[in-house]
Amino acid sequence: MSRNFKSDNVTPVCDAIMKAIHAANAGTADSYGADEFTEALTSVAGEIFGTEVAIFPVATGTAANSLALSHCVPPYGAVYCHDAAHIATDECGAPEFFTGGAKMIGLPASDGKIAPQQVADAAALALDLGVHHVKPSAVSLTQATEWGTVYSVAEVSALAAVARRYGLRVHMDGARFANALVHLGCSPAAATWQCGVDVLSLGATKNGALCAEAVVFFDPAQAEDFERRRKRAGHLWSKLRFVSAQWLAYFKDGLWLDNARHANAMAAVLARGLQSLRGAQLLQSVDANEVFVALPESTVIALEASGFGFYRWPGCAAPQAVAIRLVTSYATTLASVQDLVAAAERCA
Amino acid sequence: MSRNFKSDNVTPVCDAIMKAIHAANAGTADSYGADEFTEALTSVAGEIFGTEVAIFPVATGTAANSLALSHCVPPYGAVYCHDAAHIATDECGAPEFFTGGAKMIGLPASDGKIAPQQVADAAALALDLGVHHVKPSAVSLTQATEWGTVYSVAEVSALAAVARRYGLRVHMDGARFANALVHLGCSPAAATWQCGVDVLSLGATKNGALCAEAVVFFDPAQAEDFERRRKRAGHLWSKLRFVSAQWLAYFKDGLWLDNARHANAMAAVLARGLQSLRGAQLLQSVDANEVFVALPESTVIALEASGFGFYRWPGCAAPQAVAIRLVTSYATTLASVQDLVAAAERCA
Amino acid sequence: MSRNFKSDNVTPVCDAIMKAIHAANAGTADSYGADEFTEALTSVAGEIFGTEVAIFPVATGTAANSLALSHCVPPYGAVYCHDAAHIATDECGAPEFFTGGAKMIGLPASDGKIAPQQVADAAALALDLGVHHVKPSAVSLTQATEWGTVYSVAEVSALAAVARRYGLRVHMDGARFANALVHLGCSPAAATWQCGVDVLSLGATKNGALCAEAVVFFDPAQAEDFERRRKRAGHLWSKLRFVSAQWLAYFKDGLWLDNARHANAMAAVLARGLQSLRGAQLLQSVDANEVFVALPESTVIALEASGFGFYRWPGCAAPQAVAIRLVTSYATTLASVQDLVAAAERCA
Amino acid sequence: MSRNFKSDNVTPVCDAIMKAIHAANAGTADSYGADEFTEALTSVAGEIFGTEVAIFPVATGTAANSLALSHCVPPYGAVYCHDAAHIATDECGAPEFFTGGAKMIGLPASDGKIAPQQVADAAALALDLGVHHVKPSAVSLTQATEWGTVYSVAEVSALAAVARRYGLRVHMDGARFANALVHLGCSPAAATWQCGVDVLSLGATKNGALCAEAVVFFDPAQAEDFERRRKRAGHLWSKLRFVSAQWLAYFKDGLWLDNARHANAMAAVLARGLQSLRGAQLLQSVDANEVFVALPESTVIALEASGFGFYRWPGCAAPQAVAIRLVTSYATTLASVQDLVAAAERCA
């Protein structure tokens, strides 16, 4: 029973996806995407999103985000995002590298969700500064957010409306898109292009895949030459069938939604369990599969000593308390959640 | 029985490596390389190469080459290579992207092997032009070459000597390094750092892996900060254990050498078979697993019509003849080679 | 009598420098810096700074800053600076372009001067995040600051001490270095390398030149290959004698200090005059040649209507008041300052 | 009397342009191009070229070429040019830097003029290689060429026709455009946009200016955001009036054509004089202001010893002969040409 709640990327590959990798390993197949799996993926993704899409599998979320932005933003562009967004702080400057030097401009928001007015103000200021400042070019939303919250469809729509007003493209970092989607309870279409998203970085790795991320353009015409960007970044696999096969399995029979629903449910159980402890305080709404909670420092130390894996998180104001992040996944069992809660209760 | 001789990257994953991927899929493991497989890889690779190394797994050869060069060459640098080298023509400008604009300067050589004097002349000319020209910074050798030939150890040593004279780093593009190595019959050490190679792009994908390439520094001190380069290029996998596990299996019990030896042997059989045809002409020495042969155009057309897969290749001067490239692999069977030769005989 | 207080870059060229340009225009001279003026500049600058330097003339401050940083900072690096620093907000992403995507990390400070602890905290956080975050690489100080204040020598020393502790290079943006220097009243050496500055962007354009900025390395060994960076950025003039001649005139007989002293004196007069108005409030200490002052909105409007040129500035909290910036220069006359103050008095 | 024939960039500034710089030095003027000179330039240039243009003054030819290309070519693009073009060999990788890594693909041509079929073949090959190769994006012509020859209007038209067929933008490197123009004897319009040129790097520095180069777009709509590219490359001067004023003087009363006509005439006299020497051989047609001539080595040595300045040039096949390049300019006097010819005659 795993005590590792550090991230959803510590998980193994789920059975259905591992089987799909095996099934794809039969005989020769033309390389660089000229295989039956990759060819099937476009239409399958189109059905999932209810519209024609261009989808490009890659192996990491950093690649998906950075390639997507590089295609939407000029080197002299500005991308507005949350100040804790992965693209701003956790990718070692990858978006700057891929875009040729565009600026990721972080906006503060205590619940992880940037507001339309923040984007409007930042873009208006930039336009005032004219040629001396980078050009407002895109807004990037993380869905689910870095704080485990989820933008409502209305919130995304409102941000997209501001984006249109200022000529910004709308990018969604969907490393945990499935977790957000099952929380929203709407269709993939309603959560993306129907509320104004132009391009989605879609992740499967954290939700059961071995390595499967993708860039999805909801207007295939906007994807022209994107293949060259992927190639020159070293992200066009020769044996691409093995990524595409993961995607096909992920989308099949609702696997992605089932996995995400389980992860979210485990987070909810975990949150309820911890919340009831003396001195505990949930720091964010648990909309997806991440729990941010402040616990007495003694409890945190005891949990660490018991071999539970999680990260201490900055930003906890309460005295003698420590904020931590716990992440659940498709593979988290109810028993392991109960194990952690029980251990916390013992410490408290 | 496969008739696909287009490339060694059309092959499936060999059994031992697929089993290793499975075995790695047990329970949680810390991400981004903090797993037992990745941790073991450094010492295993060190044993293989007979010296302490720094090894960084990535998923594509484009990434391995471009990352390696970006770490050796300033943005205002020149890299000398064969004019048909992958880094010069087949990576959509990836080396330019990763290095921030360094120049790949292609040198012609009919057998795919650049000569020390060519490098010396090019570097001397560049130094004459001074600040107006890019700075001589590295030489990149493809081993085995794009023409299926293999540099001898003495040839590599001679190139490395010129490189040292002009302050150039020595990079080896070893997408088919195993095929070259079994041809040379020497140790991995003798084929690399002992003859002056500083950094190796080592490929396993073409030789039986699912996706396993790596950058190997023979002086770990030269690898400082390389991890950041890999991260910001989107090539640090969260579930890195699945690439590292492939490498461990690849090196285990000589699998890599066995696979390569088989591929080379099949190429030799193929070459002998085709060579005996009327009007056929081998265009290059078959040192590794690629056969470049000129055949009567009617034979080529007939083979294509029979469903054999291969590429027509530019550069055949003979009238009514067409040059083609045929690639064998660990998975090529003797029967499939005989099948092709027999079909060619029927056409001739 | 000019009413243009928008910036010190609206000024004409001062006589001594225009004469020097003329004097340089005699006969042929070898290009790209192989002329007598450029050759003399290195030793002249060495005398000025009291140590051997490497100095590279360029035409703009954006170029000087960006080239300097690109030589000190890797593409995966972080540069710590004030959040209103030119490199962060006013150069349309030039530092990101030249460095290949390094991050300018802006730190807030109400008087324009960042504090050692801010730099230490930011660097420590970055190191905690490891490979996922950009690498702490440089600190950049603007001297005089964007708010017209001047770091004391002790303040610079304290920042440089933190920089050394974290392995950061120290860059000084000295677009208005002369104005800072006459305020400090110390030697150029004491204001730069003796308190830990590694590389200085030195400006003359705002202080009387036609176009003369420069990058000064206080350790010439650190300037290796810098010439190539300048060339490939298009900043190596063919007729470089005409920039170098400006520098020689600028440094001759203390012209640069005289010009700056006059500009600062005019700012002091202006500040005193405005400060005495009802409802006026100086927003920053007037250490150099910029005055940030809050005035009643009606006064500001009246001044604008009278043809005075200046910028409204964000950040004024007082009701019915507007912050403005007024800049003086070597060419500002006492009469024009009195003219502005008198006009403001009439409005008040 | 100057004996410096190294280049036309060793010349001083011509009187009319120096006077214009003086005249521009009156009082304050708004910075960054918001001055009357820069504002006048667009319409003046429009009259010169007989069509509405967008013109952007910069200080160097390297900047003009690299900025122009960066605006026409994606980072994954290919630019076809002569293999001795400045953009390929003499700008230390500036075009690669500005474009974010595009490839300059040099095509050989003994007279400096690339042929339509060469461009067509290169583009067709690139398209065959697909995503693995850079995308054909632009053709760049040097006019006058690096070998002192001039493309006829028909030759430019034929190249532009191929460019249109393959979707390439047409760039002209016109560092010596005036010299080409007076040779052609046609209008500026006929030599540029009317025969298919999209964007021109126009030089004045070699033809009498202090520092005045420019990028000219013949379709102003294609120049959108170009200002930001110039700014972030550090090529937007604060006191831009001093470059714009040079341009106004350059175009006034045909100064540019007079200067170029004189330079070309001096080259013709020089060529005739040297051609008549025993053992001399003109290596290229002297269409503009450059003379490439092979002379007996003893003559070359004697000229060097007499203090004449010129460059030895590679590529002379004749035994005991040395190729040299001699460049004339607006400032070259007939006496100095006769001086050189006489000296050569004495040696012969």
Side-chain angles (χ1 to χ4, degrees):
Chain A
M1 187 169 61
S2 173
R3 291 188 156 183
N4 192 335
F5 291 83
K6 286 184 185 172
S7 176
D8 30 10
N9 62 25
V10 304
T11 52
V13 186
C14 72
D15 287 348
I17 288 179
M18 195 56 110
K19 278 193 187 111
I21 291 173
H22 257 275
N25 195 36
T28 59
D30 280 356
S31 47
Y32 300 118
D35 63 84
E36 61 183 294
F37 305 92
T38 307
E39 279 159 9
L41 179 57
T42 299
S43 61
V44 167
E47 283 163 33
I48 291 287
F49 283 101
T51 189
E52 195 186 348
V53 301
I55 180 168
F56 299 88
V58 296
T60 69
T62 302
N65 281 337
S66 302
L67 283 167
L69 289 173
S70 74
H71 206 61
C72 298
V73 172
Y76 45 84
V79 177
Y80 302 104
C81 59
H82 188 263
D83 63 8
H86 253 59
I87 60 168
T89 67
D90 290 295
E91 292 173 344
C92 198
E96 288 84 351
F97 173 39
F98 281 69
T99 58
K103 263 184 127 76
M104 305 300 114
I105 296 185
L107 306 172
S110 61
D111 61 353
K113 300 195 253 180
I114 59 174
Q117 195 57 45
Q118 290 179 291
V119 174
D121 290 349
L125 174 66
L127 293 178
D128 269 1
L129 292 168
V131 69
H132 301 283
H133 200 72
V134 283
K135 182 183 180 179
S137 300
V139 61
S140 177
L141 311 178
T142 309
Q143 180 76 314
T145 74
E146 307 290 343
W147 300 146
T149 55
V150 171
Y151 287 96
S152 72
V153 169
E155 287 169 336
V156 175
S157 291
L159 280 157
V162 165
R164 270 191 305 278
R165 192 169 352 127
Y166 286 97
L168 313 176
R169 305 291 296 279
V170 180
H171 169 252
M172 182 171 275
D173 176 353
R176 295 188 179 98
F177 179 73
N179 302 285
L181 189 62
V182 298
H183 172 78
L184 291 174
C186 68
S187 70
T192 56
W193 60 275
Q194 287 180 351
C195 57
V197 176
D198 291 305
V199 57
L200 171 69
S201 297
L202 181 61
T205 310
K206 288 182 160 80
N207 195 29
L210 191 155
C211 68
E213 307 284 316
V215 179
V216 183
F217 289 89
F218 296 107
D219 175 2
Q222 292 184 356
E224 197 197 335
D225 281 346
F226 186 81
E227 283 197 288
R228 289 184 193 270
R229 290 194 185 273
R230 181 175 57 170
K231 172 68 189 182
R232 81 193 287 263
H235 287 288
L236 176 59
W237 288 35
S238 57
K239 298 184 177 177
L240 188 55
R241 55 172 149 167
F242 294 108
V243 186
S244 300
Q246 292 178 66
W247 276 112
L248 295 177
Y250 188 69
F251 285 140
K252 196 168 179 213
D253 299 334
L255 175 69
W256 67 315
L257 304 178
D258 293 346
N259 279 359
R261 210 172 279 121
H262 177 81
N264 289 11
M266 291 301 102
V269 173
L270 184 56
R272 275 197 302 273
L274 295 176
Q275 201 168 9
S276 62
L277 299 177
R278 208 162 65 155
Q281 187 194 355
L282 274 189
L283 299 173
Q284 297 287 351
S285 170
V286 180
D287 294 347
N289 64 322
E290 297 186 279
V291 177
F292 291 85
V293 62
L295 296 176
E297 187 169 18
S298 58
T299 305
V300 169
I301 290 170
L303 287 172
E304 288 166 343
S306 306
F308 288 97
F310 51 82
Y311 288 106
R312 292 181 176 220
W313 221 251
C316 180
Q320 268 90 52
V322 170
I324 64 172
R325 185 190 76 162
L326 299 155
V327 189
T328 59
S329 79
Y330 85 92
T332 304
T333 60
L334 184 58
S336 72
V337 170
Q338 290 167 336
D339 176 38
L340 187 145
V341 174
E345 283 168 348
R346 280 193 301 277
C347 312
Chain B
M1 188 168 62
S2 173
R3 291 187 156 183
N4 192 336
F5 290 84
K6 286 183 184 171
S7 176
D8 31 9
N9 62 27
V10 304
T11 52
V13 185
C14 73
D15 287 349
I17 289 178
M18 196 57 108
K19 279 195 185 107
I21 292 173
H22 260 275
N25 196 36
T28 59
D30 280 355
S31 47
Y32 301 117
D35 63 84
E36 61 182 296
F37 304 93
T38 306
E39 279 158 8
L41 180 56
T42 298
S43 61
V44 168
E47 284 162 32
I48 291 286
F49 284 101
T51 189
E52 195 187 348
V53 302
I55 180 168
F56 300 88
V58 295
T60 69
T62 302
N65 282 336
S66 302
L67 283 168
L69 290 173
S70 74
H71 205 63
C72 298
V73 172
Y76 45 83
V79 177
Y80 302 104
C81 60
H82 187 263
D83 63 7
H86 253 59
I87 59 168
T89 68
D90 289 294
E91 292 173 345
C92 199
E96 288 85 351
F97 173 41
F98 281 69
T99 58
K103 265 184 124 72
M104 306 299 115
I105 296 186
L107 306 171
S110 61
D111 63 352
K113 300 195 254 179
I114 58 174
Q117 195 58 46
Q118 291 180 290
V119 174
D121 290 350
L125 174 65
L127 293 177
D128 269 2
L129 292 168
V131 70
H132 301 283
H133 200 71
V134 281
K135 182 183 182 180
S137 300
V139 61
S140 177
L141 311 177
T142 311
Q143 179 77 312
T145 75
E146 307 290 342
W147 300 146
T149 54
V150 172
Y151 287 95
S152 72
V153 168
E155 286 169 336
V156 175
S157 291
L159 280 157
V162 165
R164 271 192 303 278
R165 196 172 345 131
Y166 286 96
L168 312 176
R169 304 290 296 280
V170 180
H171 169 252
M172 181 171 276
D173 176 354
R176 294 186 179 100
F177 179 73
N179 302 284
L181 189 61
V182 297
H183 171 79
L184 292 173
C186 69
S187 71
T192 55
W193 61 275
Q194 288 180 351
C195 57
V197 175
D198 292 304
V199 57
L200 171 69
S201 297
L202 181 60
T205 311
K206 289 181 159 80
N207 195 30
L210 192 156
C211 68
E213 308 283 316
V215 179
V216 183
F217 289 89
F218 296 108
D219 174 2
Q222 293 184 355
E224 197 197 336
D225 280 346
F226 187 81
E227 282 198 288
R228 289 184 193 269
R229 291 194 184 271
R230 180 174 58 170
K231 172 67 189 181
R232 78 193 290 263
H235 286 288
L236 176 59
W237 287 35
S238 56
K239 299 185 176 176
L240 189 55
R241 55 172 149 166
F242 293 108
V243 187
S244 299
Q246 293 179 65
W247 275 113
L248 295 177
Y250 187 70
F251 285 140
K252 193 166 182 216
D253 299 334
L255 175 69
W256 65 316
L257 304 177
D258 293 345
N259 278 0
R261 209 173 280 119
H262 177 81
N264 288 11
M266 290 302 102
V269 174
L270 184 57
R272 273 198 303 276
L274 293 175
Q275 200 169 9
S276 62
L277 299 177
R278 210 164 63 158
Q281 189 194 353
L282 274 187
L283 298 173
Q284 297 287 351
S285 170
V286 179
D287 294 349
N289 64 323
E290 296 186 281
V291 177
F292 290 85
V293 62
L295 295 177
E297 187 168 18
S298 58
T299 305
V300 170
I301 290 170
L303 287 171
E304 289 167 344
S306 306
F308 288 98
F310 52 80
Y311 287 106
R312 291 181 176 219
W313 221 251
C316 180
Q320 269 90 51
V322 170
I324 64 173
R325 185 190 77 162
L326 299 155
V327 188
T328 59
S329 79
Y330 85 92
T332 304
T333 60
L334 185 58
S336 73
V337 169
Q338 290 168 336
D339 176 37
L340 187 146
V341 173
E345 283 168 349
R346 280 194 301 277
C347 311
Chain C
M1 188 167 62
S2 174
R3 293 187 155 183
N4 192 335
F5 290 85
K6 286 185 183 170
S7 175
D8 31 8
N9 62 27
V10 304
T11 52
V13 186
C14 72
D15 287 349
I17 289 178
M18 194 57 107
K19 280 196 187 107
I21 291 173
H22 258 274
N25 196 36
T28 58
D30 281 355
S31 47
Y32 301 118
D35 63 84
E36 60 183 295
F37 304 92
T38 307
E39 280 158 8
L41 180 57
T42 298
S43 61
V44 167
E47 283 161 34
I48 292 286
F49 284 101
T51 189
E52 195 186 349
V53 302
I55 180 168
F56 300 87
V58 296
T60 69
T62 303
N65 281 337
S66 303
L67 283 168
L69 290 173
S70 74
H71 205 62
C72 298
V73 172
Y76 45 83
V79 177
Y80 303 105
C81 59
H82 187 263
D83 63 9
H86 253 59
I87 59 168
T89 67
D90 290 295
E91 293 174 343
C92 198
E96 288 85 351
F97 173 41
F98 281 69
T99 57
K103 265 183 126 73
M104 304 302 113
I105 296 186
L107 306 171
S110 61
D111 62 353
K113 299 195 253 180
I114 59 175
Q117 195 57 46
Q118 291 179 289
V119 174
D121 290 349
L125 174 66
L127 293 177
D128 269 2
L129 292 168
V131 69
H132 300 284
H133 200 71
V134 282
K135 182 183 181 180
S137 300
V139 62
S140 177
L141 311 178
T142 309
Q143 180 76 314
T145 74
E146 308 290 343
W147 300 145
T149 55
V150 172
Y151 288 96
S152 72
V153 168
E155 286 168 336
V156 175
S157 291
L159 281 157
V162 165
R164 271 192 305 279
R165 195 173 347 129
Y166 286 96
L168 313 177
R169 305 289 296 281
V170 180
H171 168 252
M172 181 171 278
D173 176 353
R176 294 188 179 97
F177 179 74
N179 301 284
L181 189 62
V182 298
H183 171 80
L184 292 173
C186 68
S187 70
T192 55
W193 61 275
Q194 288 180 351
C195 57
V197 176
D198 292 304
V199 58
L200 172 68
S201 299
L202 180 60
T205 311
K206 289 181 160 80
N207 194 29
L210 192 154
C211 67
E213 307 283 315
V215 179
V216 183
F217 290 90
F218 295 107
D219 175 1
Q222 292 184 355
E224 197 197 337
D225 280 346
F226 186 81
E227 282 197 287
R228 290 185 193 269
R229 291 195 185 271
R230 181 175 57 170
K231 172 68 188 179
R232 79 193 288 264
H235 287 288
L236 177 58
W237 287 35
S238 56
K239 299 183 176 176
L240 188 55
R241 55 171 148 167
F242 294 107
V243 187
S244 300
Q246 292 179 64
W247 276 111
L248 295 178
Y250 188 69
F251 285 140
K252 195 167 178 212
D253 299 333
L255 175 68
W256 65 317
L257 304 177
D258 292 345
N259 279 0
R261 210 172 279 121
H262 177 81
N264 289 12
M266 290 302 101
V269 173
L270 184 56
R272 274 196 303 275
L274 294 175
Q275 201 168 8
S276 63
L277 298 178
R278 209 162 65 155
Q281 188 194 354
L282 274 188
L283 299 172
Q284 298 287 350
S285 169
V286 180
D287 294 349
N289 63 323
E290 298 185 280
V291 177
F292 291 85
V293 63
L295 296 177
E297 187 168 21
S298 58
T299 306
V300 170
I301 290 171
L303 286 171
E304 289 167 342
S306 307
F308 289 97
F310 51 80
Y311 288 105
R312 290 182 177 219
W313 221 251
C316 180
Q320 270 89 50
V322 170
I324 64 171
R325 185 189 77 162
L326 299 156
V327 189
T328 59
S329 78
Y330 84 93
T332 304
T333 60
L334 184 59
S336 72
V337 169
Q338 290 166 337
D339 176 36
L340 188 143
V341 173
E345 283 168 349
R346 280 194 300 277
C347 312
Chain D
M1 189 168 60
S2 173
R3 292 187 156 182
N4 192 334
F5 290 84
K6 285 183 184 171
S7 176
D8 30 9
N9 62 26
V10 302
T11 53
V13 186
C14 73
D15 286 348
I17 290 178
M18 195 56 107
K19 280 195 186 109
I21 292 173
H22 259 274
N25 196 37
T28 59
D30 281 355
S31 49
Y32 300 118
D35 63 84
E36 60 182 297
F37 305 92
T38 306
E39 279 158 9
L41 181 57
T42 298
S43 61
V44 167
E47 282 162 33
I48 291 286
F49 284 101
T51 189
E52 197 187 346
V53 302
I55 181 168
F56 300 88
V58 295
T60 69
T62 302
N65 281 335
S66 302
L67 283 167
L69 290 173
S70 74
H71 206 62
C72 298
V73 172
Y76 45 82
V79 177
Y80 302 105
C81 60
H82 187 263
D83 62 9
H86 253 59
I87 59 168
T89 67
D90 290 294
E91 292 173 345
C92 199
E96 288 84 351
F97 173 40
F98 281 69
T99 58
K103 264 183 125 76
M104 305 300 113
I105 296 187
L107 306 171
S110 62
D111 62 353
K113 300 195 256 182
I114 59 175
Q117 194 58 46
Q118 289 179 290
V119 175
D121 290 350
L125 174 66
L127 293 178
D128 269 3
L129 293 168
V131 69
H132 301 284
H133 200 71
V134 281
K135 182 184 181 181
S137 300
V139 61
S140 176
L141 311 177
T142 310
Q143 180 76 314
T145 74
E146 307 290 342
W147 300 145
T149 54
V150 172
Y151 288 95
S152 71
V153 169
E155 287 168 336
V156 175
S157 291
L159 281 157
V162 165
R164 273 192 303 278
R165 195 173 345 131
Y166 286 96
L168 312 176
R169 305 290 297 279
V170 180
H171 168 252
M172 181 171 276
D173 176 353
R176 294 187 179 100
F177 179 73
N179 302 285
L181 189 62
V182 297
H183 172 79
L184 292 173
C186 68
S187 70
T192 55
W193 60 275
Q194 289 180 350
C195 58
V197 175
D198 291 305
V199 57
L200 171 69
S201 298
L202 181 61
T205 311
K206 289 181 160 82
N207 195 28
L210 192 156
C211 68
E213 309 282 316
V215 178
V216 183
F217 289 89
F218 296 108
D219 175 1
Q222 293 183 356
E224 197 197 337
D225 279 346
F226 187 82
E227 282 197 289
R228 289 184 194 268
R229 290 195 184 272
R230 181 175 57 170
K231 173 67 189 181
R232 79 193 288 262
H235 287 287
L236 176 59
W237 287 35
S238 56
K239 298 184 177 177
L240 188 55
R241 54 172 150 167
F242 294 108
V243 187
S244 300
Q246 293 179 65
W247 276 111
L248 295 178
Y250 189 68
F251 286 140
K252 195 169 178 212
D253 299 334
L255 175 68
W256 66 316
L257 303 178
D258 292 346
N259 278 1
R261 209 172 280 122
H262 177 80
N264 288 12
M266 289 302 100
V269 172
L270 184 57
R272 273 196 305 274
L274 294 175
Q275 199 169 10
S276 63
L277 298 178
R278 211 164 62 159
Q281 189 194 351
L282 275 188
L283 298 172
Q284 297 287 350
S285 171
V286 179
D287 294 349
N289 65 323
E290 296 186 281
V291 177
F292 291 86
V293 62
L295 295 177
E297 186 167 18
S298 59
T299 305
V300 170
I301 290 170
L303 287 172
E304 289 167 343
S306 306
F308 288 98
F310 51 81
Y311 288 105
R312 292 181 176 219
W313 221 251
C316 180
Q320 269 89 51
V322 170
I324 64 172
R325 185 189 77 161
L326 299 156
V327 189
T328 58
S329 78
Y330 85 92
T332 304
T333 61
L334 184 58
S336 73
V337 169
Q338 289 167 337
D339 176 38
L340 187 146
V341 173
E345 282 168 350
R346 280 194 301 277
C347 313

